[in-house]
Amino acid sequence: MKEYAKKFYQSTAWKKCRKSYFNLKHGLCERCQGTGKIVHHKLYITPQNINDPDITLNFNNLELLCQDCHNKEHHDKYSPVVDGLMFDADGSLVQRC
Ligand SMILES: [Zn+2]
Ligand SMILES: [Zn+2]
């Protein structure tokens, strides 16, 4: 995992934010109503915006997704510039795609 992302995903601020967003959505995937697993950033996190809470901790930039929908999201919109990162329910990096 990239250092900048690691620090962010392990931060208390993110863990709290992630948890309250998850609860707000009742743990359901926003796209298919399946089991929500991953709180996805609509605007992907980059070294440029990682310290900007308006992006990283803003509910308007978050989406609760199940594993399938999250995979699709990153495959459909994959761009080498964006460097798709995948995280598990705890916000740990599980795979880079
Ligand atoms: Zn889904
Ligand atoms: Zn994502």
Side-chain angles (χ1 to χ4, degrees), residues 41-93:
H41 286 89
K42 291 180 192 168
L43 197 64
Y44 298 174
I45 288 184
T46 67
Q48 285 73 39
N49 66 23
I50 192 102
N51 291 315
D52 183 355
D54 272 352
I55 292 177
T56 58
L57 303 174
N58 184 343
F59 279 16
N60 292 327
N61 190 39
L62 302 178
E63 196 176 11
L64 180 60
L65 299 176
C66 68
Q67 189 77 62
D68 277 0
C69 289
H70 191 246
N71 288 350
K72 278 181 203 144
E73 163 69 27
H74 282 270
H75 281 293
D76 289 353
K77 292 187 185 168
Y78 179 74
S79 138
V81 180
V82 166
D83 185 33
L85 296 172
M86 285 178 42
F87 300 91
D88 67 15
D90 299 319
S92 310
L93 187 71

